[in-house]
Amino acid sequence: MECRIGCGACCIALSISSPIPGMSEGKPAGVRCVHLSADYRCLLFGDPRRPAVCKQFQAAEDVCGSSQTEAFQLLAELERLTAPPSLNIL
């Protein structure tokens, strides 16, 4: 599957634990990456500073669905399922 032009869900919904230029602590899930353009394109695409996790992410129907809305839902669920356990103490 090719990336859907104008989607950008992966650049918002997913967390990035490694530093990104302009985001030294990485990026929390649900926060727009500072390198996502107004038309939802990665401004670091092809740039060697682009985080490895971003380079490795591949658009696929099971995580991108058939629309931007579905991509947000699927990626948010993926993020929830792969997040480290909470450290809440009762």
Side-chain angles (χ1 to χ4, degrees):
M1 171 178 184
E2 298 234 359
C3 233
R4 200 173 12 262
I5 295 173
C7 180
C10 58
C11 301
I12 300 169
L14 299 176
S15 63
I16 299 174
S17 58
S18 62
I20 304 169
M23 298 181 99
S24 61
E25 300 297 315
K27 186 194 85 58
V31 172
R32 184 184 181 98
C33 179
V34 297
H35 299 288
L36 184 62
S37 71
D39 63 350
Y40 296 93
R41 293 178 184 255
C42 176
L43 297 173
L44 285 181
F45 193 84
D47 186 314
R49 299 174 302 154
R50 187 173 181 217
V53 67
C54 298
K55 291 176 190 174
Q56 294 167 356
F57 183 83
Q58 296 292 311
E61 193 171 333
D62 60 333
V63 292
C64 298
S66 59
S67 67
Q68 182 188 45
T69 300
E70 190 174 7
F72 271 106
Q73 292 168 344
L74 291 168
L75 291 169
E77 179 65 5
L78 178 65
E79 184 68 30
R80 186 187 69 75
L81 291 171
T82 60
S86 174
L87 297 177
N88 291 334
I89 300 173
L90 298 177

